[in-house]
Amino acid sequence: EDQVTQSPEALRLQEGESSSLNCSYTVSGLRGLFWYRQDPGKGPEFLFTLYSAGEEKEKERLKATLTKKESFLHITAPKPEDSATYLCAVGGSGTYKYIFGTGTRLKVLA
Amino acid sequence: NAGVTQTPKFRVLKTGQSMTLLCAQDMNHEYMYWYRQDPGMGLRLIHYSVGEGTTAKGEVPDGYNVSRLKKQNFLLGLESAAPSQTSVYFCASSWGDFGVDIQYFGAGTRLSVL
């Protein structure tokens, strides 16, 4: 069964304390893995797309990596404004298959 | 840059009432989607459209209908609302196949069914 699991569900960090969020997936024929950021009361906002194992992308304090079974979102020296829910989604082969994880709620304390 | 605009932002319905949620995008995207987001669950696809005049069922289509008469608009209808349809609804759009292309989301519609 196709599945996306994100961990941890919630994470509290001190400002400057680096950490990683995990997205484990099982999908037939990965076509793309997406990371989104969602602020309270708003829609998801695109961060990264990864298409093949070994690929990495960076944006400011965020870096996304991809293996054949999971993706990590590394947050280096986070700031309070990085507090949000981070969503992972995978696109699989077949009929428009696109599965979201339940997200990781990140809180960065000043 | 408006992007994806959803109306209304909030709505309260009584069981059995009907309503239509409107989604409009100004990016000339072919693909459009309706999701619902519930606590503890990921975004779930209700219906989607791969172009003007086309619609298809997603993961949780029961109780909803959609129409895409114009490329820029995608409407989600609830014919007879039920408390189980209390949720936050998001519309999204993309250039092409959503297994590969970025989806752009609206700000959401918060619906309560009493």
Side-chain angles (χ1 to χ4, degrees):
Chain A
E1 180 183 350
D2 295 331
Q3 194 170 344
V4 175
T5 303
Q6 290 189 247
S7 61
E9 287 187 15
L11 182 62
R12 291 168 67 93
L13 299 173
Q14 290 296 129
E15 184 171 5
E17 180 186 3
S18 301
S19 188
S20 297
L21 313 182
N22 177 262
C23 173
S24 298
Y25 64 89
T26 304
V27 67
S28 53
L30 178 70
R31 303 180 68 195
L33 185 141
F34 302 79
W35 282 99
Y36 291 86
R37 169 189 171 130
Q38 185 174 22
D39 293 299
K42 296 188 178 181
E45 179 182 349
F46 171 76
L47 292 173
F48 303 107
T49 308
L50 302 167
Y51 293 109
S52 58
E55 190 174 359
E56 299 182 352
K57 289 190 177 174
E58 286 188 68
K59 179 181 178 181
E60 295 180 355
R61 295 176 294 281
L62 300 176
K63 179 180 177 180
T65 62
L66 180 65
T67 72
K68 289 187 177 180
K69 294 184 177 181
E70 58 191 351
S71 176
F72 291 94
L73 184 65
H74 306 279
I75 303 176
T76 302
K79 298 182 178 182
E81 53 261 42
D82 294 321
S83 297
T85 295
Y86 291 85
L87 302 174
C88 171
V90 295
S93 61
T95 308
Y96 303 108
K97 188 163 291 183
Y98 196 74
I99 306 166
F100 276 89
T102 54
T104 293
R105 297 188 310 277
L106 174 66
K107 178 73 172 177
V108 182
L109 304 171
Chain B
N1 290 335
V4 178
T5 302
Q6 293 184 232
T7 53
K9 289 182 170 41
F10 303 92
R11 188 72 187 267
V12 178
L13 291 178
K14 293 181 179 178
T15 298
Q17 288 185 318
S18 64
M19 77 163 293
T20 300
L21 282 66
L22 172 64
C23 177
Q25 53 96 2
D26 62 1
M27 296 174 283
N28 202 33
H29 285 169
E30 288 293 334
Y31 289 54
M32 295 187 75
Y33 321 87
W34 276 107
Y35 290 92
R36 60 178 289 171
Q37 187 175 43
D38 301 292
M41 306 187 76
L43 284 155
R44 292 182 292 168
L45 184 65
I46 304 171
H47 286 282
Y48 63 94
S49 168
V50 301
E52 182 179 312
T54 75
T55 63
K57 294 180 180 179
E59 181 185 359
V60 289
D62 293 342
Y64 305 95
N65 56 76
V66 289
S67 64
R68 189 147 178 223
L69 300 180
K70 294 183 178 181
K71 185 177 183 178
Q72 64 268 32
N73 295 336
F74 195 29
L75 278 63
L76 178 70
L78 287 72
E79 291 187 347
S80 179
S84 60
Q85 294 178 305
T86 294
S87 187
V88 182
Y89 292 86
F90 288 100
C91 176
S93 69
S94 67
W95 283 110
D97 187 347
F98 63 121
V100 179
D101 286 332
I102 300 164
Q103 292 192 32
Y104 296 86
F105 285 82
T109 295
R110 283 143 191 83
L111 175 66
S112 292
V113 182
L114 305 177

